[in-house]
Each structure stands twice: as structure tokens, then as C-alpha cells.
């Protein structure tokens, strides 16, 4: 929780940049980033057995519980995680101090223990350098509280395809080949991404990029808002609608 407080503080002070059919719009400092944080503010859970939600008043509420937990030995370098899901998903780098060999990955599913028979399906496959994770719920409701979390080595490439209203969080990756995120109506949040190529596509969900964002960057959203914290970007950066 404390680890991500700087993200929340930074979001409340950054200048929003809006993009529409006319191209790049002017900065609107009067529109603070709280817009992106309501009505739901999600937290990556670390290795807790609870999936937590941060309310508008700053209070933390434990939601669904850990129902599936997988630990895998993975290649240290050159790997990637490919995720397809219709529930909220968070992907972050595994703790480099704890896993210094960069060869551990974790996949966890949070759902209601009272509805075990209706928990989302989870499939994990590891082939050569690719870790494939597929997770789908039969409940496609916008307010679903199921959550998929994954931790992989900090040097891994990341590809996410989020369907329907699934929200996406990708935090803390460096020296990888790419981060590629495709979302439909859910929000996308990134934090400290330093990679060769960053591609973020959204149909109507909002996109928030905080912290370092380094690489060849392309961000597209047909009708959602985009906010990039004012921090110098490295190399070519493109923002499109």
C-alpha cells in the first residue's frame, strides 16, 4: 500500500493532457487526475491473500480472496508474459532483492471463495521464453471484483489483451523489448516503464502513465482520456487518437 502512495500523490498534481478527434488538445491543469481515480481505485496486492480496493476517501477495503496461487521457475532473460483476460489484471516486476536470479514468476487469482464453482477459469502455459496466462470470467458485469495478478522478472516483455471492462496495471519494468497493452473499455495505468517499445491502445478506457516512460512510445485511445505525468521522456514519443 505504502509503495504506491507516491503514485496516488503524483496523479493528483499532474497536468492532464486530453486527446480528441482534432488531434492533441491543450493542457488543462484545472482537470486534475482524480477523474481517473473514481469510482474505483485498484491496488496491486503484492503477495497478500487479499485483493484490496482504495476508496474515494482513502480507506482500504479488502475484497475477494486469493483462490489460486502459482509459482513458476522461468528463464532469466529474453522472456515475455502474454496475458488475455476479461477481468482486472495487474502485472508488475518481482522483487529483485528477494529474487536476485530473476528466474521466478507468480500468478494469482482473486475471487469470491463463496462462489468457487463460478471462479474465473485460469490457464497458464510456459513454452520456451513465453509465459502465457489466460483468465476469463463468465460474469462480464462492469462491476466485477475478480482480479488477476502476475509478477515476472523485471526484464520481461509484457503483452496484455484486456477485454470488455477489464482494467490494466503494469508497473516497474526495465531493459525489456516491449510493453504492449490493448484494452477495450477498462482503464490502463502504467508506472516506471523503461523498454525498447511501448504501445498502449484503448477503445474508450482512460490511460494514465506515471513515472519514467522510456522507449518508442505510441498511445492511442478512441474516446478515452490520456494523462502523462510531466516527466522528460526518452527517445521518440508519439500520441495518437
Amino acid at each position: 500500500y505504502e509503495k504506491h502512495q507516491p503514485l496516488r500523490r503524483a496523479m493528483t498534481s499532474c497536468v492532464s493532457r486530453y486527446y480528441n478527434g482534432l488531434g492533441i488538445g491543450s493542457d488543462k491543469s484545472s482537470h486534475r487526475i482524480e477523474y481517473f481515480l473514481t469510482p474505483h481505485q485498484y491496488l496491486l496486492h503484492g503477495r497478500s491473500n487479499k485483493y484490496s480496493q482504495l476508496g474515494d476517501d482513502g480507506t482500504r477495503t479488502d475484497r475477494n480472496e486469493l483462490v489460486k496461487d502459482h509459482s513458476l521457475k522461468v528463464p532469466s532473460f529474453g522472456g515475455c508474459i502474454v496475458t488475455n483476460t476479461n477481468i482486472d489484471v495487474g502485472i508488475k516486476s518481482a522483487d529483485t532483492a528477494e529474487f536476485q536470479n530473476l528466474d521466478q514468476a507468480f500468478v494469482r487469482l482473486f475471487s469470491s471463495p463463496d462462489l468457487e464453482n463460478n471462479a474465473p477459469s485460469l490457464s497458464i502455459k510456459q513454452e520456451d521464453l513465453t509465459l502465457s496466462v489466460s483468465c476469463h470470467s463468465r460474469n462480464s458485469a462492469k462491476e466485477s471484483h475478480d482480479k488477476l495478478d502476475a509478477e515476472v522478472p523485471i526484464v520481461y516483455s509484457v503483452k496484455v489483451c484486456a477485454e470488455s471492462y477489464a482494467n490494466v496495471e503494469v508497473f516497474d519494468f526495465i531493459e525489456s523489448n516491449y510493453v504492449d497493452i490493448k484494452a477495450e473499455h477498462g482503464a490502463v495505468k502504467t508506472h516506471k516503464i523503461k523498454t525498447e517499445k511501448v504501445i498502449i491502445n484503448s477503445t474508450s478506457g482512460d490511460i494514465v502513465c506515471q513515472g519514467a516512460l522510456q522507449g518508442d512510445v505510441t498511445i492511442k485511445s478512441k474516446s478515452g482520456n490520456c494523462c502523462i505525468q510531466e516527466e522528460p521522456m526518452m527517445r521518440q514519443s508519439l500520441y495518437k487518437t
Side-chain angles (χ1 to χ4, degrees):
Y1 173 73
E2 293 296 334
K3 178 180 178 182
H4 297 294
Q5 281 298 343
L7 169 62
R8 185 167 180 263
R9 288 194 294 268
M11 285 180 176
T12 60
S13 62
C14 78
V15 176
S16 298
R17 295 176 179 175
Y18 292 85
Y19 305 84
N20 50 41
L22 299 177
I24 299 178
S26 60
D27 291 348
K28 299 181 179 180
S29 58
S30 61
H31 292 272
R32 299 298 181 183
I33 195 61
E34 284 93 344
Y35 173 85
F36 296 101
L37 298 181
T38 56
H40 296 297
Q41 302 168 346
Y42 297 100
L43 294 175
L44 290 168
H45 76 320
R47 278 189 291 279
S48 169
N49 63 352
K50 295 284 187 179
Y51 156 37
S52 298
Q53 188 177 25
L54 187 64
D56 296 334
D57 58 357
T59 59
R60 178 177 175 174
T61 303
D62 287 330
R63 305 305 298 251
N64 291 339
E65 296 183 0
L66 181 65
V67 295
K68 294 182 181 179
D69 189 358
H70 297 268
S71 176
L72 305 99
K73 189 90 167 179
V74 297
S76 299
F77 294 95
C80 67
I81 180 170
V82 178
T83 306
N84 292 275
T85 185
N86 66 348
I87 67 172
D88 291 353
V89 56
I91 301 177
K92 68 175 183 177
S93 60
D95 187 350
T96 54
E98 185 175 357
F99 306 106
Q100 297 182 11
N101 292 330
L102 306 180
D103 60 356
Q104 294 291 322
F106 305 90
V107 179
R108 303 178 186 87
L109 174 62
F110 290 78
S111 189
S112 172
D114 299 328
L115 301 174
E116 184 175 354
N117 293 333
N118 291 321
S121 62
L122 176 61
S123 172
I124 302 172
K125 295 181 181 180
Q126 186 175 351
E127 298 179 352
D128 298 327
L129 298 176
T130 301
L131 177 62
S132 300
V133 180
S134 178
C135 186
H136 290 84
S137 172
R138 286 176 288 181
N139 176 19
S140 59
K142 183 177 180 180
E143 301 300 327
S144 171
H145 293 126
D146 294 326
K147 178 76 182 290
L148 174 68
D149 272 5
E151 294 181 50
V152 295
I154 194 170
V155 294
Y156 262 43
S157 297
V158 176
K159 184 172 184 177
V160 181
C161 180
E163 305 165 12
S164 188
Y165 291 94
N167 299 304
V168 180
E169 295 172 318
V170 177
F171 284 12
D172 306 331
F173 286 93
I174 64 171
E175 303 301 331
S176 60
N177 292 326
Y178 61 85
V179 169
D180 185 351
I181 302 171
K182 293 181 176 64
E184 293 182 353
H185 309 299
V188 176
K189 300 178 185 178
T190 69
H191 181 257
K192 290 185 179 178
I193 304 296
K194 297 181 180 180
T195 183
E196 286 295 318
K197 182 174 291 187
V198 180
I199 302 172
I200 304 175
N201 289 285
S202 164
T203 301
S204 63
D206 298 329
I207 299 173
V208 177
C209 301
Q210 191 271 340
L213 187 61
Q214 177 177 327
D216 295 330
V217 182
T218 300
I219 298 175
K220 300 179 182 180
S221 183
K222 290 183 178 180
S223 60
N225 295 307
C226 300
C227 175
I228 295 88
Q229 182 187 2
E230 289 193 326
E231 181 171 332
M233 292 189 189
M234 305 295 293
R235 306 179 69 181
Q236 183 181 7
S237 299
L238 302 174
Y239 305 95
K240 303 176 181 178
T241 57

